[in-house]
Amino acid sequence: MDNKLDPWSSSNITDYSKLFEEFGISPFENILPEIPSPHKYMRRRIIFGHRDYEQIAEAMRTGAPFSVMDGFMPSGKVHLGHKMVMDQVIWHQENGASAFVGIADREAFSVRGFSWKKCREIGVEEYILSLIALGFKPEGLIYFQSGCRSVKDLAFELGARVNFSELSAIYGFSGETSLSHMLSVATQAADILQPQLEEFGGPKPVVVPVGPDQDPHLRLTRGLAGKMNMFRIEERETSEGWKYLSIRGKGAPKEALQELKKRIPGKVKLYEEHIDILQTPDYAFLERFVSQISQPEKRNYFMSRIQEIAKFANVAKPPEFSEYEKYFVFRRTWKTAGKILEEVVAEVAAEFDGYAFIPPASTYHRFMSGLQGGKMSSSTPDSYIALTDDPKEGAKKVKKAKTGGCMTLEEQKKLGGKPDECSVFELMLFHLIEDDEELMEVRQECVCGTRTCGACKQLAAEKMQEFLKDHQEKRELAREDLDEYRIIYKK
Ligand code: TRP
C-alpha cells in the first residue's frame, strides 16, 4: 500500500527509485542522448523517468507525426506546478507535435463537486489564459471534456473493456466510489487516446508529460490501448529458435484478416484467427511491403529508412561483414518490417472500423517542494506561487522562503549552503534561470560558502517579479486573442 500512487490524494513521493522497480518506469537519462535539443527539465534531471519515450524522440528526429496530450483538472489557482506541465506541452508542440489539452471538468465535477459553470470559469480564467500566455500555438486543440463528443463516446467504448476489479486494483476504488468518478477515469483514458482517432490523423505516438501521481491513469490507458485493438502483433519463436511475426486478430472479421494477408508479401500463413509471417524480411521484402502503405508521406518516410539500411549493407559487401555488422543489418531490417507491419495493420483495421492504438508514452517530473519546505498546498498560499499572484507579492513569498543555508553567516562561509535542500535554488533550477552555466555558478558559489542566502533571495525575487509581470501582461493579450484558438466548450 505504501507505494500505491493515488492521483487524488497528493501523496508525498520520497523515493523515486522505487517507481522504476515497481511500476516499470524507465530512467530518463538513458534516452537523453537521443533527443535533439533537450528541454531544461530534461537536461537538469527534473524529468527523471519515462515510458516508451524512444518513439517520441525518433519522431522528433525524423519528422514523423506525433502528438503531445495533457489534461488539467480545474481545481483552483494556476501555479508554478501547472507551468511545468504547460512548458512541456508547448516544447513538444514547438518540436513538431500536434498538441491536445483537455480541461478535466468531468473529473472536477465528480471528484470535487464543482458545477459546470465554475469549471468553465476556472478553466478559462486560470488554465487556458496561462497556457496561451506561455506560448501554446493556435494549431493545438483545447477542449472541455464535457463538451467533447469524441472523447465522451470513446470513454464509453473504453468502459466496455474495464471492470470494477481492475479499477480497484489500480486506484483502490471501493464500494463507496461513485459511478461518475469511475467515468472520469475512462474519460481521462479517452483524452489520452483521442489524438490517435481517424479524425486526428490515425495512430501515432503520443506523449503525456505528467507527475508520477498520474501514472495509474497511464497504466490503465496503455492496457486499454492493446485491448481495444483489432489486431495484435507479436514476435514469436519456433521451437527451433526461428523468429517470426504473428498477427493475432481474435474477434476480427474474416475479411479483415484476408485483406491483411493480401497486403503482406512473402511467405504468410492464414489461420482462423491469426496470420503468421514466416519469411525473414530482407531488402526486397521490405521494398515490396512498403508499397502497401497507402499514405504517401508515411510511405516515403519508410522508403528513406529502407534506403538507409541498404546504404549500410552496400558499403561492405555481405561476405566481408563482421558478425556484428550482419546482426546490425538484420536487427534494423527486422525492426523496420515490424514498423511497416504496424502501419499496414492500422490501415486495414481502420477500413474495417477497428482500432490500432499505439500505447501512449509518458514522462515523469519531480514535484517542486513548498516554499516553506514540505509540500505545496493550495490551502497554504505562502507555500506556492500562483501565476496570477501580484508580482510584488510573489517576490515577497520568495524572500520568505526556506533556504538551505546555515544558521549564521559565519557558519555558512565555513561550511557552505545546501542548494539541494533550498526552495529558492529550486525556483531558479525549475523556472528562473535558463542558462545552465549561470545556474551552475550560483550552485558552486553556494556550496563553497561565497554566496549568501540574501543574495540568492534578492536575485530570485527580482526574476520572479519580472516573470510574473511579463506573464500577466501576456495573459491579457491572450484574453484578446482567445477566439483565434480552437476551444471546445460545454454546450
Ligand atoms: N487527472 C489530471 C489531473 O489532475 C487531469 C487530466 C485529465 C489529465 N485528463 C488528462 C492529465 C489526460 C494527463 C492526461 O490533474
Side-chain angles (χ1 to χ4, degrees):
M1 195 64 199
D2 280 358
N3 279 308
K4 203 160 198 159
L5 294 165
D6 180 348
W8 298 284
S9 82
S10 52
S11 51
N12 212 359
I13 294 159
T14 44
D15 187 357
Y16 288 107
S17 67
K18 285 222 173 93
L19 299 170
F20 299 139
E21 293 149 32
E22 273 188 48
F23 296 117
I25 292 173
S26 311
F28 199 81
E29 257 177 294
N30 303 352
I31 48 161
L32 206 52
E34 294 174 31
I35 303 166
S37 43
H39 188 271
K40 71 172 185 288
Y41 297 151
M42 299 171 173
R43 301 193 306 267
R44 296 176 186 176
R45 311 289 192 264
I46 291 168
I47 294 175
F48 64 88
H50 75 100
R51 291 183 192 273
D52 284 357
Y53 197 80
E54 295 87 356
Q55 44 170 344
I56 303 297
E58 187 178 322
M60 284 194 290
R61 287 196 312 266
T62 60
F66 72 107
S67 293
V68 61
M69 194 288 134
D70 240 306
F72 299 91
M73 173 158 74
S75 56
K77 294 210 142 307
V78 61
H79 53 62
L80 290 175
H82 299 117
K83 173 179 175 285
M84 284 183 70
V85 180
M86 293 175 181
D87 283 343
Q88 295 175 64
V89 170
I90 292 161
W91 183 83
H92 283 99
Q93 189 183 34
E94 283 167 354
N95 281 278
S98 58
F100 296 75
V101 171
I103 302 297
D105 57 349
R106 276 188 150 195
E107 188 177 353
F109 187 101
S110 64
V111 179
R112 297 285 169 98
F114 285 11
S115 70
W116 300 119
K117 185 161 167 276
K118 183 165 179 181
C119 288
R120 174 161 173 158
E121 277 165 16
I122 301 179
V124 176
E125 193 51 44
E126 296 289 330
Y127 299 82
I128 295 178
L129 288 184
S130 275
L131 178 71
I132 295 174
L134 289 169
F136 191 78
K137 304 272 175 322
E139 298 79 59
L141 178 67
I142 303 172
Y143 61 90
F144 285 75
Q145 286 174 330
S146 64
C148 191
R149 181 70 196 260
S150 44
V151 158
K152 290 194 283 186
D153 285 349
L154 182 56
F156 185 80
E157 282 182 46
L158 294 172
R161 303 292 175 120
V162 198
N163 63 34
F164 182 69
S165 310
E166 287 166 87
L167 290 184
S168 72
I170 296 178
Y171 299 101
F173 283 175
S174 72
E176 311 299 307
T177 308
S178 77
L179 178 55
S180 296
H181 190 176
M182 294 188 229
L183 281 171
S184 81
V185 166
T187 309
Q188 177 152 351
D191 283 334
I192 295 171
L193 293 175
Q194 159 158 278
Q196 300 193 60
L197 294 181
E198 281 309 300
E199 59 178 298
F200 296 107
K204 66 178 85 56
V206 178
V207 61
V208 188
V210 287
D213 64 313
Q214 295 294 307
D215 187 54
H217 296 298
L218 277 138
R219 270 178 278 140
L220 175 74
T221 310
R222 287 166 60 86
L224 276 172
K227 285 192 211 166
M228 296 298 284
N229 289 350
M230 183 169 267
F231 302 109
R232 216 172 53 228
I233 302 170
E234 288 173 3
E235 236 185 51
R236 301 194 156 219
E237 234 177 74
T238 66
S239 48
E240 295 96 49
W242 292 103
K243 277 209 175 110
Y244 65 99
L245 289 167
S246 184
I247 308 162
R248 310 261 132 185
K250 201 160 187 289
K254 245 209 180 77
E255 301 77 36
L257 276 162
Q258 271 157 358
E259 180 59 33
L260 246 183
K261 183 178 182 228
K262 267 202 268 167
R263 300 208 197 169
I264 301 169
K267 273 189 253 160
V268 171
K269 258 194 178 149
L270 178 66
Y271 298 90
E272 194 63 15
E273 287 187 332
H274 71 277
I275 299 172
D276 286 343
I277 305 178
L278 301 165
Q279 190 180 33
T280 308
D282 58 17
Y283 183 65
F285 178 92
L286 289 183
E287 267 205 326
R288 268 180 290 147
F289 199 11
V290 83
S291 68
Q292 296 300 318
I293 299 178
S294 56
Q295 253 178 283
E297 281 159 35
K298 286 197 173 157
R299 204 169 50 231
N300 291 342
Y301 164 70
F302 280 106
M303 260 333 273
S304 66
R305 268 179 77 150
I306 294 172
Q307 273 153 10
E308 245 176 67
I309 301 176
K311 223 193 297 167
F312 182 84
N314 283 333
V315 174
K317 291 274 173 282
E320 292 145 30
F321 268 18
S322 67
E323 278 311 304
Y324 173 74
E325 284 165 329
K326 269 189 224 162
Y327 180 73
F328 179 79
V329 170
F330 174 75
R331 252 338 290 176
R332 292 282 292 266
T333 312
W334 188 264
K335 221 179 125 190
T336 305
K339 290 274 179 201
I340 297 173
L341 185 59
E342 276 173 23
E343 294 294 336
V344 175
V345 160
E347 284 185 7
V348 174
E351 279 165 35
F352 289 85
D353 280 335
Y355 292 117
F357 292 120
I358 299 169
S362 49
T363 60
Y364 301 92
H365 54 253
R366 264 165 51 202
F367 292 117
M368 290 176 65
S369 39
L371 293 176
Q372 309 290 330
K375 283 191 288 183
M376 287 206 291
S377 159
S378 49
S379 52
T380 324
D382 270 355
S383 74
Y384 70 94
I385 290 175
L387 300 182
T388 50
D389 273 349
D390 176 78
K392 290 208 179 84
E393 284 304 310
K396 263 192 213 150
K397 284 186 186 176
V398 175
K399 292 215 169 145
K400 279 193 288 189
K402 178 183 157 285
T403 68
C406 301
M407 293 300 278
T408 65
L409 198 58
E410 232 167 279
E411 238 183 301
Q412 173 125 352
K413 280 193 177 143
K414 216 161 65 203
L415 303 170
K418 297 194 179 96
D420 296 328
E421 292 167 25
C422 175
S423 61
V424 176
F425 183 74
E426 208 179 53
L427 285 174
M428 302 198 254
L429 176 78
F430 279 64
H431 299 286
L432 298 175
I433 296 183
E434 258 333 287
D435 182 34
D436 288 348
E437 263 173 47
E438 187 185 346
L439 187 74
M440 276 312 280
E441 234 167 75
V442 170
R443 193 193 157 82
Q444 269 313 317
E445 288 173 14
C446 170
V447 173
C448 303
T450 53
R451 198 177 170 87
T452 63
C453 293
C456 261
K457 280 184 170 178
Q458 185 59 33
L459 178 68
E462 274 167 24
K463 282 185 186 277
M464 182 61 72
Q465 185 167 339
E466 209 176 297
F467 162 73
L468 288 174
K469 184 167 165 283
D470 176 63
H471 180 66
Q472 289 163 21
E473 282 166 12
K474 288 185 176 141
R475 277 172 54 91
E476 289 319 305
L477 294 177
R479 198 188 296 282
E480 286 164 26
D481 293 344
L482 217 46
D483 50 4
E484 282 169 30
Y485 282 77
R486 286 197 291 162
I487 305 177
I488 307 177
Y489 298 100
K490 182 173 165 61
K491 303 274 171 321

